[in-house]
Amino acid sequence: SIKGVDKSIVMDAVRTGATGAWPGAWLGLASEALRGDSEVVLAAGTRYVARALSYATDAVKEDRAVVLVAVRMDGMALRYAAGSIKGDREVVLEAVRQSGQALQYATGSLRADRAVAFEAVRQDGDALRWAGAVIKADKDVALAAVRKEGRTLEFVAEALQADREVVLAAVDQAQARAQATFRSTLALIARAGATGTVLSASATLRAHLRQVLLYARDRLFEDDAFVLAAHEHAKAIWTTPANDLQDMRERLRLLKELV
């Protein structure tokens, strides 16, 4: 316990940590007076403020000004804010701008707020999973999400999973992500001087595209324009060119169904 310890010492412990505890977590060992001191809580800084807020008193968690500063450091600090603060639009907007995943801790009404959801998916496409049903059916929000993270196609409304523009945007992002993943993996191995088996570029592309196509609606595969465009993104997977449009269609369906 660090109850009774000088405030400056507690602030330093909260900020830097010490053997046996995470920075920020030290606040849980402090006196109630220090756990209710906003200066001590915010001393945890960007990396640990969420953890520190979790140990703060209810009065601090209900203090809008303190929580606003905290979520600007780490949006996920919203998790530990008082319920009333989780329904404060300005605070939630600041939180999702810093971390899109903070959307999960907002009230239902704000998770259904288009502007709030837009900010969240612009920061992290996967944040769409936490948005309200109406938002998931909003094509502009869906496009913003899949352009950030193609796999987010899983969370868009069913009608948009059959929308050519939305699905192709997800496919395009998946292709770019696969290329970046392959390059970064090779670079990491080279820096480490390690040896071992690495997924080929085509295997990496296959894995990323399947994560998208898995959620594309079957009827979209009857759309010739979609098939042509999607196959163009995926053609590096196969060693031989497709014979015709039907061959492209079957290849994409096989990729979708591959276990």
Side-chain angles (χ1 to χ4, degrees):
S1 172
I2 54 174
K3 292 180 173 63
V5 175
D6 182 76
K7 176 179 174 177
S8 63
I9 296 175
V10 174
M11 287 179 67
D12 187 57
V14 168
R15 183 184 302 111
T16 64
T19 303
W22 286 95
W26 279 102
L27 191 61
L29 304 175
S31 66
E32 184 173 359
L34 290 178
R35 288 188 291 110
D37 188 315
S38 61
E39 185 181 10
V40 175
V41 174
L42 296 177
T46 302
R47 292 183 63 188
Y48 306 112
V49 70
R51 185 181 294 272
L53 189 62
S54 73
Y55 293 107
T57 61
D58 289 345
V60 171
K61 295 176 181 179
E62 294 167 358
D63 189 320
R64 183 179 185 276
V66 172
V67 175
L68 194 57
V69 173
V71 298
R72 284 171 175 160
M73 293 187 202
D74 180 358
M76 297 300 278
L78 185 66
R79 174 180 182 179
Y80 302 107
S84 59
I85 303 296
K86 293 177 180 179
D88 185 306
R89 192 168 187 269
E90 182 186 356
V91 173
V92 172
L93 275 169
E94 291 293 334
V96 299
R97 283 171 182 150
Q98 202 286 323
S99 173
Q101 290 296 318
L103 185 63
Q104 65 188 288
Y105 301 117
T107 58
S109 62
L110 288 179
R111 284 187 280 113
D113 184 303
R114 188 175 189 273
V116 171
F118 226 125
E119 290 291 341
V121 302
R122 286 175 60 188
Q123 200 284 323
D124 182 346
D126 188 62
L128 187 66
R129 70 169 69 211
W130 309 114
V134 173
I135 300 300
K136 291 177 179 178
D138 185 308
K139 184 172 179 177
D140 289 337
V141 176
L143 279 169
V146 300
R147 285 169 178 161
K148 190 75 174 179
E149 176 53 76
R151 293 173 297 180
T152 301
L153 187 66
E154 175 183 358
F155 306 111
V156 307
E158 180 177 335
L160 294 178
Q161 290 175 336
D163 184 288
R164 182 197 304 161
E165 184 182 6
V166 172
V167 178
L168 284 178
V171 167
D172 182 67
Q173 196 283 329
Q175 180 190 32
R177 176 64 63 86
Q179 293 171 342
T181 298
F182 183 68
R183 288 194 299 268
S184 63
T185 300
L186 290 182
L188 182 62
I189 290 174
R191 287 198 299 273
T195 59
T197 302
V198 180
L199 280 179
S200 66
S202 62
T204 304
L205 178 60
R206 181 184 296 111
H208 281 73
L209 288 180
R210 185 178 180 276
Q211 290 177 327
V212 170
L213 294 178
L214 190 61
Y215 299 102
R217 293 293 159 172
D218 290 341
R219 60 182 180 274
L220 193 55
F221 292 81
E222 299 302 322
D223 180 331
D224 291 350
F226 169 76
V227 171
L228 284 167
H231 187 273
E232 181 64 24
H233 283 287
K235 66 182 182 181
I237 292 173
W238 298 286
T239 56
T240 58
N243 296 320
D244 51 29
L245 186 61
Q246 186 58 28
D247 192 17
M248 294 180 190
R249 199 184 324 274
E250 291 307 315
R251 286 181 173 192
L252 290 172
R253 281 176 170 154
L254 181 61
L255 181 58
K256 171 183 170 70
E257 296 165 4
L258 185 64
V259 177

